[in-house]
Short mmCIF file of all heavy atoms in Angstrom, two decimals:
data_model
loop_
_atom_site.label_atom_id
_atom_site.label_comp_id
_atom_site.label_asym_id
_atom_site.label_seq_id
_atom_site.Cartn_x
_atom_site.Cartn_y
_atom_site.Cartn_z
N MET A 1 77.23 52.54 -40.06
CA MET A 1 77.35 52.29 -41.47
C MET A 1 77.80 50.86 -41.73
O MET A 1 77.30 50.22 -42.65
CB MET A 1 78.35 53.29 -42.07
CG MET A 1 78.46 53.22 -43.54
SD MET A 1 76.93 53.82 -44.25
CE MET A 1 77.28 53.74 -45.94
N LEU A 2 78.74 50.39 -40.90
CA LEU A 2 79.23 49.03 -41.04
C LEU A 2 78.10 48.03 -40.80
O LEU A 2 78.02 47.00 -41.48
CB LEU A 2 80.39 48.78 -40.06
CG LEU A 2 81.04 47.41 -40.14
CD1 LEU A 2 81.67 47.21 -41.52
CD2 LEU A 2 82.10 47.26 -39.05
N PHE A 3 77.22 48.35 -39.85
CA PHE A 3 76.08 47.48 -39.55
C PHE A 3 75.16 47.36 -40.77
O PHE A 3 74.68 46.27 -41.10
CB PHE A 3 75.31 48.03 -38.35
CG PHE A 3 74.11 47.23 -37.98
CD1 PHE A 3 74.25 45.98 -37.38
CD2 PHE A 3 72.84 47.69 -38.25
CE1 PHE A 3 73.14 45.23 -37.05
CE2 PHE A 3 71.73 46.95 -37.93
CZ PHE A 3 71.86 45.70 -37.31
N LEU A 4 74.92 48.46 -41.46
CA LEU A 4 74.05 48.46 -42.64
C LEU A 4 74.65 47.63 -43.77
O LEU A 4 73.95 46.84 -44.42
CB LEU A 4 73.81 49.90 -43.11
CG LEU A 4 72.90 50.06 -44.33
CD1 LEU A 4 71.51 49.53 -44.03
CD2 LEU A 4 72.82 51.52 -44.74
N ILE A 5 75.95 47.77 -43.99
CA ILE A 5 76.63 46.98 -45.04
C ILE A 5 76.58 45.50 -44.70
O ILE A 5 76.34 44.65 -45.56
CB ILE A 5 78.07 47.48 -45.22
CG1 ILE A 5 78.07 48.90 -45.79
CG2 ILE A 5 78.86 46.55 -46.14
CD1 ILE A 5 79.44 49.55 -45.82
N ALA A 6 76.79 45.16 -43.43
CA ALA A 6 76.73 43.76 -43.01
C ALA A 6 75.32 43.20 -43.19
O ALA A 6 75.14 42.05 -43.61
CB ALA A 6 77.18 43.64 -41.56
N PHE A 7 74.31 44.00 -42.88
CA PHE A 7 72.93 43.55 -43.02
C PHE A 7 72.58 43.28 -44.49
O PHE A 7 71.98 42.27 -44.83
CB PHE A 7 71.98 44.59 -42.43
CG PHE A 7 70.53 44.21 -42.54
CD1 PHE A 7 69.99 43.21 -41.74
CD2 PHE A 7 69.71 44.84 -43.46
CE1 PHE A 7 68.66 42.85 -41.85
CE2 PHE A 7 68.38 44.49 -43.59
CZ PHE A 7 67.85 43.49 -42.78
N VAL A 8 72.96 44.20 -45.37
CA VAL A 8 72.70 44.03 -46.81
C VAL A 8 73.46 42.82 -47.34
O VAL A 8 72.92 42.02 -48.13
CB VAL A 8 73.06 45.32 -47.59
CG1 VAL A 8 72.99 45.09 -49.09
CG2 VAL A 8 72.14 46.45 -47.18
N GLY A 9 74.70 42.64 -46.93
CA GLY A 9 75.49 41.48 -47.36
C GLY A 9 74.86 40.17 -46.89
O GLY A 9 74.79 39.20 -47.65
N ALA A 10 74.39 40.14 -45.66
CA ALA A 10 73.75 38.93 -45.14
C ALA A 10 72.45 38.64 -45.88
O ALA A 10 72.13 37.47 -46.16
CB ALA A 10 73.49 39.09 -43.64
N ALA A 11 71.72 39.69 -46.23
CA ALA A 11 70.47 39.49 -46.97
C ALA A 11 70.75 38.94 -48.36
O ALA A 11 70.05 38.04 -48.84
CB ALA A 11 69.71 40.81 -47.06
N ILE A 12 71.80 39.43 -49.02
CA ILE A 12 72.16 38.93 -50.35
C ILE A 12 72.61 37.47 -50.27
O ILE A 12 72.22 36.64 -51.10
CB ILE A 12 73.24 39.83 -50.99
CG1 ILE A 12 72.63 41.20 -51.31
CG2 ILE A 12 73.83 39.19 -52.23
CD1 ILE A 12 73.65 42.24 -51.77
N ILE A 13 73.43 37.15 -49.29
CA ILE A 13 73.88 35.76 -49.11
C ILE A 13 72.69 34.85 -48.82
O ILE A 13 72.59 33.74 -49.37
CB ILE A 13 74.94 35.68 -47.99
CG1 ILE A 13 76.24 36.37 -48.45
CG2 ILE A 13 75.22 34.23 -47.61
CD1 ILE A 13 77.27 36.51 -47.36
N ALA A 14 71.76 35.29 -47.99
CA ALA A 14 70.58 34.48 -47.68
C ALA A 14 69.73 34.26 -48.93
O ALA A 14 69.23 33.16 -49.17
CB ALA A 14 69.76 35.16 -46.59
N LEU A 15 69.59 35.29 -49.75
CA LEU A 15 68.82 35.17 -51.00
C LEU A 15 69.48 34.18 -51.95
O LEU A 15 68.81 33.34 -52.54
CB LEU A 15 68.68 36.54 -51.66
CG LEU A 15 67.91 36.57 -52.97
CD1 LEU A 15 66.44 36.20 -52.72
CD2 LEU A 15 68.00 37.93 -53.62
N VAL A 16 70.78 34.27 -52.10
CA VAL A 16 71.50 33.35 -52.99
C VAL A 16 71.38 31.92 -52.50
O VAL A 16 71.13 30.99 -53.28
CB VAL A 16 72.98 33.78 -53.13
CG1 VAL A 16 73.80 32.72 -53.83
CG2 VAL A 16 73.07 35.11 -53.86
N LEU A 17 71.54 31.71 -51.20
CA LEU A 17 71.40 30.36 -50.64
C LEU A 17 69.98 29.84 -50.81
O LEU A 17 69.78 28.66 -51.13
CB LEU A 17 71.81 30.35 -49.17
CG LEU A 17 73.30 30.49 -48.88
CD1 LEU A 17 73.53 30.59 -47.38
CD2 LEU A 17 74.05 29.30 -49.45
N TRP A 18 69.00 30.69 -50.61
CA TRP A 18 67.60 30.28 -50.75
C TRP A 18 67.31 29.86 -52.19
O TRP A 18 66.68 28.85 -52.45
CB TRP A 18 66.69 31.42 -50.32
CG TRP A 18 65.24 31.11 -50.41
CD1 TRP A 18 64.55 30.22 -49.66
CD2 TRP A 18 64.30 31.69 -51.32
NE1 TRP A 18 63.23 30.21 -50.04
CE2 TRP A 18 63.05 31.11 -51.06
CE3 TRP A 18 64.41 32.65 -52.31
CZ2 TRP A 18 61.92 31.45 -51.77
CZ3 TRP A 18 63.27 32.99 -53.02
CH2 TRP A 18 62.04 32.39 -52.74
N LYS A 19 67.79 30.64 -53.15
CA LYS A 19 67.60 30.31 -54.57
C LYS A 19 68.33 29.01 -54.91
O LYS A 19 67.83 28.18 -55.67
CB LYS A 19 68.12 31.44 -55.47
CG LYS A 19 67.29 32.68 -55.44
CD LYS A 19 66.02 32.46 -56.22
CE LYS A 19 65.28 33.76 -56.36
NZ LYS A 19 64.07 33.62 -57.14
N ALA A 20 69.52 28.80 -54.38
CA ALA A 20 70.29 27.59 -54.67
C ALA A 20 69.61 26.36 -54.09
O ALA A 20 69.60 25.29 -54.72
CB ALA A 20 71.71 27.72 -54.11
N MET A 21 69.03 26.48 -52.91
CA MET A 21 68.36 25.34 -52.28
C MET A 21 67.07 24.98 -53.02
O MET A 21 66.72 23.81 -53.12
CB MET A 21 68.05 25.64 -50.82
CG MET A 21 69.27 25.87 -49.99
SD MET A 21 70.22 24.38 -49.81
CE MET A 21 69.69 23.91 -48.21
N ASN A 22 66.35 25.97 -53.54
CA ASN A 22 65.09 25.71 -54.21
C ASN A 22 65.22 25.37 -55.68
O ASN A 22 64.26 24.95 -56.31
CB ASN A 22 64.16 26.93 -54.06
CG ASN A 22 63.60 27.03 -52.66
OD1 ASN A 22 63.50 26.04 -51.96
ND2 ASN A 22 63.26 28.24 -52.26
N SER A 23 66.39 25.54 -56.26
CA SER A 23 66.54 25.27 -57.69
C SER A 23 66.45 23.77 -57.97
O SER A 23 66.05 23.37 -59.05
CB SER A 23 67.86 25.82 -58.21
OG SER A 23 68.94 25.12 -57.61
N GLY A 24 66.80 22.93 -57.02
CA GLY A 24 66.72 21.48 -57.22
C GLY A 24 65.39 20.89 -56.83
O GLY A 24 65.18 19.69 -56.92
N ALA A 25 64.46 21.72 -56.40
CA ALA A 25 63.15 21.23 -55.98
C ALA A 25 62.37 20.73 -57.18
O ALA A 25 62.42 21.30 -58.27
CB ALA A 25 62.37 22.33 -55.27
N VAL A 26 61.65 19.65 -56.99
CA VAL A 26 60.82 19.08 -58.05
C VAL A 26 59.51 19.84 -58.09
O VAL A 26 58.84 20.01 -57.07
CB VAL A 26 60.55 17.58 -57.77
CG1 VAL A 26 59.64 17.01 -58.84
CG2 VAL A 26 61.85 16.83 -57.71
N GLU A 27 59.15 20.30 -59.26
CA GLU A 27 57.88 21.00 -59.41
C GLU A 27 56.86 20.03 -59.95
O GLU A 27 57.07 19.38 -60.97
CB GLU A 27 58.04 22.19 -60.35
CG GLU A 27 58.87 23.30 -59.76
CD GLU A 27 58.83 24.54 -60.63
OE1 GLU A 27 57.86 24.71 -61.39
OE2 GLU A 27 59.78 25.33 -60.55
N PHE A 28 55.75 19.92 -59.25
CA PHE A 28 54.68 19.03 -59.67
C PHE A 28 53.74 19.78 -60.60
O PHE A 28 53.46 20.96 -60.38
CB PHE A 28 53.90 18.52 -58.45
CG PHE A 28 54.75 17.66 -57.55
CD1 PHE A 28 55.28 18.18 -56.39
CD2 PHE A 28 55.01 16.36 -57.88
CE1 PHE A 28 56.06 17.41 -55.56
CE2 PHE A 28 55.80 15.57 -57.07
CZ PHE A 28 56.32 16.09 -55.91
N PRO A 29 53.24 19.11 -61.63
CA PRO A 29 52.32 19.81 -62.54
C PRO A 29 51.02 20.16 -61.84
O PRO A 29 50.55 19.43 -60.97
CB PRO A 29 52.08 18.79 -63.66
CG PRO A 29 52.42 17.47 -63.06
CD PRO A 29 53.46 17.74 -62.01
N GLN A 30 50.46 21.29 -62.23
CA GLN A 30 49.19 21.72 -61.65
C GLN A 30 48.07 20.89 -62.23
O GLN A 30 48.09 20.56 -63.42
CB GLN A 30 48.95 23.21 -61.97
CG GLN A 30 49.96 24.14 -61.36
CD GLN A 30 49.85 24.15 -59.83
OE1 GLN A 30 48.78 23.97 -59.28
NE2 GLN A 30 50.98 24.35 -59.17
N PRO A 31 47.07 20.51 -61.42
CA PRO A 31 45.95 19.74 -61.96
C PRO A 31 45.17 20.57 -62.96
O PRO A 31 44.99 21.78 -62.79
CB PRO A 31 45.10 19.41 -60.73
CG PRO A 31 45.54 20.36 -59.69
CD PRO A 31 46.95 20.77 -60.01
N GLN A 32 44.74 19.92 -64.02
CA GLN A 32 43.98 20.60 -65.06
C GLN A 32 42.52 20.72 -64.64
O GLN A 32 41.92 19.76 -64.18
CB GLN A 32 44.05 19.80 -66.37
CG GLN A 32 45.46 19.67 -66.91
CD GLN A 32 46.02 21.00 -67.36
OE1 GLN A 32 45.30 21.83 -67.87
NE2 GLN A 32 47.33 21.18 -67.17
N ARG A 33 41.97 21.90 -64.81
CA ARG A 33 40.55 22.09 -64.52
C ARG A 33 39.76 21.69 -65.75
O ARG A 33 40.07 22.09 -66.87
CB ARG A 33 40.26 23.54 -64.17
CG ARG A 33 40.85 23.94 -62.86
CD ARG A 33 40.41 25.32 -62.51
NE ARG A 33 40.95 25.67 -61.19
CZ ARG A 33 40.69 26.79 -60.59
NH1 ARG A 33 39.92 27.68 -61.16
NH2 ARG A 33 41.21 27.04 -59.41
N ARG A 34 38.75 20.88 -65.52
CA ARG A 34 37.94 20.42 -66.62
C ARG A 34 36.51 20.88 -66.42
O ARG A 34 36.02 21.00 -65.32
CB ARG A 34 37.94 18.90 -66.68
CG ARG A 34 39.32 18.31 -66.91
CD ARG A 34 39.24 16.83 -66.97
NE ARG A 34 40.58 16.26 -67.04
CZ ARG A 34 40.82 14.98 -67.01
NH1 ARG A 34 39.85 14.13 -66.90
NH2 ARG A 34 42.05 14.54 -67.08
N GLY A 35 35.85 21.08 -67.53
CA GLY A 35 34.43 21.43 -67.48
C GLY A 35 33.61 20.17 -67.29
O GLY A 35 34.13 19.06 -67.19
N PRO A 36 32.30 20.31 -67.24
CA PRO A 36 31.46 19.13 -67.09
C PRO A 36 31.59 18.21 -68.30
O PRO A 36 31.64 18.67 -69.44
CB PRO A 36 30.05 19.70 -66.96
CG PRO A 36 30.13 21.11 -67.40
CD PRO A 36 31.54 21.54 -67.30
N VAL A 37 31.67 16.93 -68.03
CA VAL A 37 31.81 15.94 -69.08
C VAL A 37 30.41 15.51 -69.52
O VAL A 37 29.54 15.28 -68.70
CB VAL A 37 32.61 14.72 -68.57
CG1 VAL A 37 32.73 13.67 -69.65
CG2 VAL A 37 33.98 15.17 -68.10
N ALA A 38 30.21 15.39 -70.82
CA ALA A 38 28.90 14.99 -71.34
C ALA A 38 28.57 13.59 -70.87
O ALA A 38 29.40 12.68 -70.89
CB ALA A 38 28.91 15.05 -72.86
N GLY A 39 27.34 13.40 -70.43
CA GLY A 39 26.88 12.08 -70.00
C GLY A 39 27.14 11.78 -68.54
O GLY A 39 26.73 10.75 -68.04
N VAL A 40 27.87 12.63 -67.87
CA VAL A 40 28.17 12.41 -66.45
C VAL A 40 27.37 13.41 -65.64
O VAL A 40 27.47 14.61 -65.83
CB VAL A 40 29.68 12.59 -66.17
CG1 VAL A 40 29.97 12.44 -64.69
CG2 VAL A 40 30.49 11.60 -66.98
N SER A 41 26.53 12.89 -64.76
CA SER A 41 25.72 13.79 -63.95
C SER A 41 26.55 14.35 -62.80
O SER A 41 27.39 13.67 -62.24
CB SER A 41 24.49 13.06 -63.41
OG SER A 41 24.88 12.02 -62.55
N ARG A 42 26.28 15.57 -62.47
CA ARG A 42 26.97 16.21 -61.37
C ARG A 42 26.25 15.87 -60.07
O ARG A 42 25.07 15.58 -60.05
CB ARG A 42 26.99 17.72 -61.57
CG ARG A 42 27.73 18.11 -62.84
CD ARG A 42 27.60 19.56 -63.11
NE ARG A 42 28.52 20.28 -62.24
CZ ARG A 42 28.55 21.57 -62.14
NH1 ARG A 42 27.72 22.31 -62.82
NH2 ARG A 42 29.41 22.16 -61.33
N ALA A 43 26.99 15.93 -58.99
CA ALA A 43 26.39 15.68 -57.68
C ALA A 43 25.39 16.80 -57.39
O ALA A 43 25.60 17.95 -57.78
CB ALA A 43 27.47 15.66 -56.61
N PRO A 44 24.30 16.48 -56.71
CA PRO A 44 23.31 17.53 -56.43
C PRO A 44 23.91 18.60 -55.53
O PRO A 44 24.71 18.33 -54.65
CB PRO A 44 22.19 16.79 -55.71
CG PRO A 44 22.80 15.53 -55.21
CD PRO A 44 23.92 15.20 -56.15
N ARG A 45 23.52 19.82 -55.81
CA ARG A 45 24.03 20.95 -55.03
C ARG A 45 23.38 20.94 -53.66
O ARG A 45 22.17 20.80 -53.53
CB ARG A 45 23.70 22.24 -55.75
CG ARG A 45 24.40 23.44 -55.17
CD ARG A 45 23.98 24.66 -55.87
NE ARG A 45 22.78 25.13 -55.17
CZ ARG A 45 22.30 26.34 -55.24
NH1 ARG A 45 22.87 27.20 -56.03
NH2 ARG A 45 21.24 26.70 -54.57
N VAL A 46 24.17 21.10 -52.64
CA VAL A 46 23.65 21.13 -51.28
C VAL A 46 23.04 22.51 -51.06
O VAL A 46 23.65 23.53 -51.32
CB VAL A 46 24.78 20.88 -50.26
CG1 VAL A 46 24.25 20.98 -48.86
CG2 VAL A 46 25.41 19.53 -50.51
N THR A 47 21.81 22.51 -50.59
CA THR A 47 21.13 23.78 -50.34
C THR A 47 20.80 23.91 -48.87
O THR A 47 20.67 22.92 -48.15
CB THR A 47 19.82 23.86 -51.15
OG1 THR A 47 18.98 22.78 -50.77
CG2 THR A 47 20.08 23.79 -52.64
N GLY A 48 20.66 25.11 -48.44
CA GLY A 48 20.26 25.37 -47.07
C GLY A 48 18.76 25.21 -46.93
O GLY A 48 18.02 25.11 -47.93
N PRO A 49 18.25 25.15 -45.71
CA PRO A 49 16.82 24.94 -45.53
C PRO A 49 15.98 26.08 -46.12
O PRO A 49 14.86 25.85 -46.52
CB PRO A 49 16.64 24.86 -44.02
CG PRO A 49 17.90 25.34 -43.42
CD PRO A 49 18.97 25.23 -44.46
N ASP A 50 16.54 27.27 -46.22
CA ASP A 50 15.76 28.37 -46.77
C ASP A 50 15.67 28.30 -48.30
O ASP A 50 14.90 29.04 -48.90
CB ASP A 50 16.31 29.71 -46.33
CG ASP A 50 17.76 29.90 -46.74
OD1 ASP A 50 18.43 28.88 -46.98
OD2 ASP A 50 18.21 31.04 -46.81
N ASP A 51 16.45 27.41 -48.93
CA ASP A 51 16.36 27.21 -50.37
C ASP A 51 15.56 25.97 -50.74
O ASP A 51 15.31 25.73 -51.91
CB ASP A 51 17.77 27.06 -50.97
CG ASP A 51 18.57 28.34 -50.90
OD1 ASP A 51 17.94 29.41 -50.82
OD2 ASP A 51 19.80 28.26 -50.92
N ASP A 52 15.18 25.18 -49.76
CA ASP A 52 14.49 23.92 -50.00
C ASP A 52 12.98 24.17 -50.10
O ASP A 52 12.36 24.56 -49.11
CB ASP A 52 14.80 22.95 -48.87
CG ASP A 52 14.23 21.56 -49.11
OD1 ASP A 52 13.80 21.29 -50.24
OD2 ASP A 52 14.22 20.77 -48.16
N PRO A 53 12.36 23.94 -51.26
CA PRO A 53 10.93 24.22 -51.40
C PRO A 53 10.06 23.35 -50.48
O PRO A 53 9.05 23.82 -49.97
CB PRO A 53 10.63 23.94 -52.87
CG PRO A 53 11.88 23.50 -53.50
CD PRO A 53 12.97 23.52 -52.50
N ASP A 54 10.45 22.09 -50.26
CA ASP A 54 9.67 21.23 -49.37
C ASP A 54 9.69 21.76 -47.94
O ASP A 54 8.67 21.76 -47.24
CB ASP A 54 10.20 19.80 -49.40
CG ASP A 54 9.97 19.13 -50.75
OD1 ASP A 54 8.97 19.48 -51.41
OD2 ASP A 54 10.78 18.26 -51.12
N PHE A 55 10.85 22.18 -47.48
CA PHE A 55 10.96 22.72 -46.13
C PHE A 55 10.11 23.97 -45.98
O PHE A 55 9.40 24.15 -44.99
CB PHE A 55 12.43 23.04 -45.80
CG PHE A 55 12.61 23.74 -44.49
CD1 PHE A 55 12.56 23.04 -43.30
CD2 PHE A 55 12.83 25.11 -44.44
CE1 PHE A 55 12.72 23.68 -42.08
CE2 PHE A 55 12.99 25.76 -43.24
CZ PHE A 55 12.93 25.05 -42.06
N LEU A 56 10.17 24.85 -46.99
CA LEU A 56 9.39 26.09 -46.92
C LEU A 56 7.88 25.80 -46.93
O LEU A 56 7.12 26.45 -46.22
CB LEU A 56 9.77 27.00 -48.07
CG LEU A 56 11.20 27.54 -48.04
CD1 LEU A 56 11.50 28.31 -49.30
CD2 LEU A 56 11.42 28.41 -46.81
N ARG A 57 7.47 24.81 -47.72
CA ARG A 57 6.05 24.46 -47.76
C ARG A 57 5.60 23.91 -46.41
O ARG A 57 4.55 24.29 -45.89
CB ARG A 57 5.79 23.42 -48.86
CG ARG A 57 4.33 23.06 -49.00
CD ARG A 57 4.04 22.11 -50.15
NE ARG A 57 5.11 21.24 -50.59
CZ ARG A 57 5.47 20.10 -49.98
NH1 ARG A 57 4.85 19.70 -48.91
NH2 ARG A 57 6.45 19.37 -50.46
N GLN A 58 6.39 23.01 -45.82
CA GLN A 58 6.05 22.45 -44.51
C GLN A 58 6.02 23.55 -43.44
O GLN A 58 5.14 23.56 -42.57
CB GLN A 58 7.05 21.38 -44.11
CG GLN A 58 6.95 20.13 -44.95
CD GLN A 58 8.08 19.16 -44.64
OE1 GLN A 58 8.95 19.44 -43.82
NE2 GLN A 58 8.06 18.01 -45.30
N LEU A 59 6.93 24.47 -43.51
CA LEU A 59 6.97 25.57 -42.55
C LEU A 59 5.73 26.44 -42.69
O LEU A 59 5.12 26.83 -41.68
CB LEU A 59 8.23 26.41 -42.76
CG LEU A 59 8.49 27.53 -41.78
CD1 LEU A 59 8.68 26.97 -40.38
CD2 LEU A 59 9.71 28.32 -42.20
N ASP A 60 5.33 26.71 -43.92
CA ASP A 60 4.13 27.51 -44.17
C ASP A 60 2.88 26.80 -43.63
O ASP A 60 2.01 27.43 -43.02
CB ASP A 60 3.99 27.79 -45.67
CG ASP A 60 2.90 28.79 -45.98
OD1 ASP A 60 2.81 29.79 -45.24
OD2 ASP A 60 2.16 28.57 -46.95
N GLU A 61 2.80 25.47 -43.82
CA GLU A 61 1.67 24.71 -43.29
C GLU A 61 1.63 24.76 -41.77
O GLU A 61 0.56 24.89 -41.17
CB GLU A 61 1.72 23.27 -43.79
CG GLU A 61 1.44 23.14 -45.28
CD GLU A 61 1.67 21.72 -45.79
OE1 GLU A 61 2.04 20.84 -44.99
OE2 GLU A 61 1.49 21.51 -47.00
N LYS A 62 2.79 24.66 -41.13
CA LYS A 62 2.83 24.72 -39.67
C LYS A 62 2.36 26.08 -39.16
O LYS A 62 1.62 26.17 -38.18
CB LYS A 62 4.26 24.45 -39.15
CG LYS A 62 4.68 23.02 -39.26
CD LYS A 62 6.10 22.87 -38.74
CE LYS A 62 6.61 21.46 -38.94
NZ LYS A 62 7.99 21.29 -38.47
N VAL A 63 2.79 27.13 -39.83
CA VAL A 63 2.39 28.48 -39.41
C VAL A 63 0.89 28.66 -39.60
O VAL A 63 0.21 29.22 -38.74
CB VAL A 63 3.19 29.54 -40.20
CG1 VAL A 63 2.62 30.94 -39.98
CG2 VAL A 63 4.66 29.51 -39.80
N ARG A 64 0.34 28.18 -40.70
CA ARG A 64 -1.08 28.29 -40.94
C ARG A 64 -1.89 27.52 -39.89
O ARG A 64 -2.90 28.00 -39.40
CB ARG A 64 -1.45 27.78 -42.32
CG ARG A 64 -1.06 28.72 -43.43
CD ARG A 64 -1.49 28.19 -44.78
NE ARG A 64 -0.90 29.00 -45.84
CZ ARG A 64 -0.93 28.67 -47.10
NH1 ARG A 64 -1.53 27.54 -47.48
NH2 ARG A 64 -0.40 29.45 -48.00
N ARG A 65 -1.44 26.32 -39.53
CA ARG A 65 -2.15 25.53 -38.52
C ARG A 65 -2.09 26.22 -37.17
O ARG A 65 -3.04 26.17 -36.40
CB ARG A 65 -1.53 24.13 -38.41
CG ARG A 65 -2.09 23.18 -39.46
CD ARG A 65 -1.59 21.79 -39.23
NE ARG A 65 -0.58 21.57 -40.27
CZ ARG A 65 0.53 20.91 -40.10
NH1 ARG A 65 0.83 20.36 -38.95
NH2 ARG A 65 1.40 20.79 -41.07
N ARG A 66 -0.98 26.85 -36.85
CA ARG A 66 -0.83 27.51 -35.57
C ARG A 66 -1.71 28.76 -35.50
O ARG A 66 -2.24 29.11 -34.45
CB ARG A 66 0.62 27.89 -35.34
CG ARG A 66 0.89 28.41 -33.96
CD ARG A 66 2.33 28.67 -33.73
NE ARG A 66 2.88 29.44 -34.82
CZ ARG A 66 4.14 29.84 -34.91
NH1 ARG A 66 4.97 29.53 -33.97
NH2 ARG A 66 4.56 30.54 -35.94
N ASP A 67 -1.90 29.45 -36.64
CA ASP A 67 -2.69 30.68 -36.66
C ASP A 67 -4.18 30.41 -36.67
O ASP A 67 -4.97 31.29 -36.31
CB ASP A 67 -2.33 31.53 -37.89
CG ASP A 67 -0.94 32.16 -37.75
OD1 ASP A 67 -0.44 32.22 -36.62
OD2 ASP A 67 -0.38 32.58 -38.80
N GLU A 68 -4.62 29.21 -37.07
CA GLU A 68 -6.05 28.91 -37.10
C GLU A 68 -6.58 28.74 -35.69
O GLU A 68 -5.92 28.19 -34.82
CB GLU A 68 -6.30 27.62 -37.90
CG GLU A 68 -6.02 27.77 -39.38
CD GLU A 68 -6.24 26.44 -40.14
OE1 GLU A 68 -6.64 25.46 -39.50
OE2 GLU A 68 -5.98 26.43 -41.34
N PRO A 69 -7.82 29.18 -35.46
CA PRO A 69 -8.42 28.94 -34.15
C PRO A 69 -8.67 27.44 -33.94
O PRO A 69 -8.88 26.71 -34.89
CB PRO A 69 -9.74 29.71 -34.19
CG PRO A 69 -9.86 30.30 -35.54
CD PRO A 69 -8.63 29.96 -36.31
N PRO A 70 -8.66 26.94 -32.69
CA PRO A 70 -8.78 25.51 -32.44
C PRO A 70 -10.10 24.90 -32.94
O PRO A 70 -10.10 23.77 -33.37
CB PRO A 70 -8.71 25.39 -30.90
CG PRO A 70 -8.18 26.68 -30.43
CD PRO A 70 -8.42 27.70 -31.47
N GLY A 71 -11.19 25.60 -32.92
CA GLY A 71 -12.47 25.01 -33.32
C GLY A 71 -12.79 25.21 -34.78
O GLY A 71 -13.83 24.78 -35.27
N ALA A 72 -11.99 25.85 -35.54
CA ALA A 72 -12.34 26.17 -36.93
C ALA A 72 -12.11 25.05 -37.85
O ALA A 72 -11.63 24.22 -38.13
CB ALA A 72 -11.57 27.40 -37.40
#
């Protein structure tokens, strides 16, 4: 029982000390999120090769050339 009381007392003391140490901490303001600004273009979205129409077209052409017979 004495061990339990000592543990709870130590936890309370640790909590009070932790709160006291953090009360003087400087809080920095959170950055404001802004929407798109008129007149400012956004950076192009990076796409994977499976989203790139040029890549898909070139891939389709390669497959078609490979499937054609050599003399055709």
Side-chain angles (χ1 to χ4, degrees):
M1 186 69 177
L2 183 63
F3 179 73
L4 181 62
I5 294 172
F7 179 73
V8 171
I12 292 172
I13 291 172
L15 179 66
V16 170
L17 288 175
W18 180 68
K19 289 285 188 178
M21 297 292 260
N22 286 334
S23 66
V26 177
E27 291 189 24
F28 295 101
Q30 296 293 329
Q32 298 293 325
R33 291 186 177 183
R34 298 181 186 175
V37 179
V40 177
S41 64
R42 298 173 78 187
R45 191 183 88 161
V46 177
T47 59
D50 58 339
D51 292 336
D52 186 12
D54 292 330
F55 174 78
L56 294 174
R57 183 176 25 80
Q58 290 173 358
L59 184 63
D60 189 42
E61 290 173 1
K62 287 179 185 179
V63 170
R64 285 182 190 170
R65 276 186 255 142
R66 188 176 49 179
D67 288 342
E68 291 178 2

